[in-house]
Amino acid sequence: VVRWEPGAPERLQKAALELFASQGFEETTAAQIAQSVGLTERTFFRYFSDKREVLFAGQDQFEQAFLVGMDEAPSDASPIGSVARALRSGAALFPDERRSFSRKRQVVIDQNPPLQEREQHKLSHLAITLAQALRGRGVDELEASLAARCAVTVFELAFARWISEGERRSLTDITDEVLHNLLALTRRSRV
Amino acid sequence: VVRWEPGAPERLQKAALELFASQGFEETTAAQIAQSVGLTERTFFRYFSDKREVLFAGQDQFEQAFLVGMDEAPSDASPIGSVARALRSGAALFPDERRSFSRKRQVVIDQNPPLQEREQHKLSHLAITLAQALRGRGVDELEASLAARCAVTVFELAFARWISEGERRSLTDITDEVLHNLLALTRRSRV
């Protein structure tokens, strides 16, 4: 019988982040993470395939947060209009209570190139998923890829600002600002 | 005395690609690559730090090709105007004679996730370099990052089309088309 540990994944995530930050990602083992919150290594592996994935859990939920917004866009929305909805619902996954966790997580990622590559992979995958959803809405292949990548660029730059030192605005507000900057930038050009 | 081998890097690159394609990237060694064109392993390592770098040689030259165009943009060019110049000069680094090599290279990369991550890293680095150059032209931080990332998105999607099966247009023409699509897309939106 597998015993259910209420809140175990969240406790493991929090503990992992503390250990990665204090003693380094490479130096921390799954067993140490589990032990630090009174759980076994076996319990750890019930929730995460390895210690790296503790930092990247919930990719499905992450992508779903964006897709939900896009699904709610009117059927005649422009590709960028649909993407704006997706960005707004994606941003809602990161309320201010989550900012301190996200900041700590970023410090760990910034110190470890393979984690940076994993983070890039996560964002590339989001772009693929959004492009697919746009094509499902009848947007042609090239426009879907362009709009999806613009969305990911906006999210990435907004997220980096959201977790920057001293920043207090919500991710939703910052995302709106970055998107409007992107649109202003391209509208202003005479190419 | 180090003996100079005329054309050695190009011969090694060509030979490496043939071996990666025929027997797999993992299965190929630097020594095999060198031997297949009558050179020593020592000569190989004079030009490349490892077998992976044979596929990623010339990052400086790659980035310079974009920067040259940006430098030629008028000082009052908009950020996207500067980026358009950079894209045009970057595309010129890939004349039609190079398409067959680029196609073969892509097949090898597509089969090997670590090579895909290395390719992504190369493009992320280009975005950082272009953003820096835009800031040097007086563009503010956020706009510089946005415009640089748009440029890389356009290059990536144009390059993928350029090496797609049956495609005969030049990378320059395709790049122009993709950039115009991006601009049309953002101008059309009512966000």
Side-chain angles (χ1 to χ4, degrees), chain A residues 176-190:
Chain A
D176 275 353
E177 188 201 337
V178 175
L179 177 60
H180 280 92
N181 255 278
L182 173 65
L183 298 179
L185 189 69
T186 51
R187 282 171 186 157
R188 219 170 59 227
S189 73
R190 286 154 304 174

Side-chain angles (χ1 to χ4, degrees), chain A residues 58-177:
Chain A
Q59 171 103 20
D60 277 2
Q61 190 202 5
F62 175 68
E63 296 193 347
Q64 277 305 319
F66 290 84
L67 291 176
V68 160
M70 195 181 286
D71 284 347
E72 286 167 5
S75 61
D76 65 343
S78 67
I80 294 292
S82 303
V83 144
R85 298 279 194 131
L87 282 167
R88 226 160 282 150
S89 64
L93 188 63
F94 299 90
D96 287 348
E97 306 89 82
R98 205 170 159 175
R99 177 149 34 191
S100 144
F101 181 91
S102 293
R103 275 183 179 140
K104 282 183 204 159
R105 177 180 175 277
Q106 195 64 45
V107 172
V108 174
I109 289 176
D110 287 345
Q111 286 164 354
N112 190 299
L115 295 178
Q116 290 161 33
E117 283 173 3
R118 179 67 182 79
E119 180 82 339
Q120 278 309 310
H121 176 79
K122 174 179 154 178
L123 294 165
S124 303
H125 197 276
L126 173 62
I128 292 167
T129 299
L130 292 177
Q132 225 163 26
L134 284 165
R135 285 200 302 276
R137 296 176 64 91
V139 178
D140 86 34
E141 178 119 15
L142 179 59
E143 290 203 337
S145 296
L146 284 167
R149 282 165 184 249
C150 284
V152 172
T153 290
V154 167
F155 176 77
E156 255 191 280
L157 295 179
F159 192 84
R161 302 207 142 198
W162 182 62
I163 59 174
S164 67
E165 221 189 301
E167 179 60 61
R168 301 180 69 94
R169 288 172 302 163
S170 69
L171 182 56
T172 303
D173 286 351
I174 302 173
T175 302
D176 275 353
E177 188 201 337

Side-chain angles (χ1 to χ4, degrees), chain B residues 30-67:
Chain B
Q32 284 174 345
I33 297 166
Q35 278 159 26
S36 78
V37 285
L39 297 171
T40 63
E41 196 178 356
R42 216 177 128 218
T43 304
F44 178 94
F45 287 114
R46 202 183 300 152
Y47 298 107
F48 305 105
S49 58
D50 58 43
K51 65 175 176 175
R52 191 182 71 166
E53 290 313 304
V54 179
L55 296 170
F56 296 97
Q59 171 102 20
D60 277 2
Q61 189 203 7
F62 175 66
E63 296 192 349
Q64 277 305 319
F66 290 84
L67 291 176

Side-chain angles (χ1 to χ4, degrees), chain B residues 149-171:
Chain B
R149 281 165 186 251
C150 284
V152 173
T153 290
V154 168
F155 176 75
E156 254 191 280
L157 295 178
F159 191 84
R161 301 207 143 197
W162 181 61
I163 58 174
S164 67
E165 220 189 302
E167 179 60 60
R168 302 181 68 95
R169 287 173 303 161
S170 70
L171 181 55

Side-chain angles (χ1 to χ4, degrees), chain B residues 65-117:
Chain B
F66 290 84
L67 291 176
V68 160
M70 194 180 287
D71 284 346
E72 286 166 4
S75 61
D76 65 343
S78 67
I80 294 292
S82 303
V83 144
R85 297 280 193 131
L87 282 166
R88 226 159 284 149
S89 64
L93 189 62
F94 299 90
D96 286 348
E97 305 89 82
R98 205 169 159 176
R99 176 147 35 192
S100 145
F101 181 91
S102 293
R103 275 183 178 139
K104 280 184 205 157
R105 176 180 175 277
Q106 194 64 45
V107 171
V108 174
I109 289 177
D110 286 346
Q111 285 164 356
N112 191 300
L115 295 179
Q116 289 161 33
E117 284 173 3

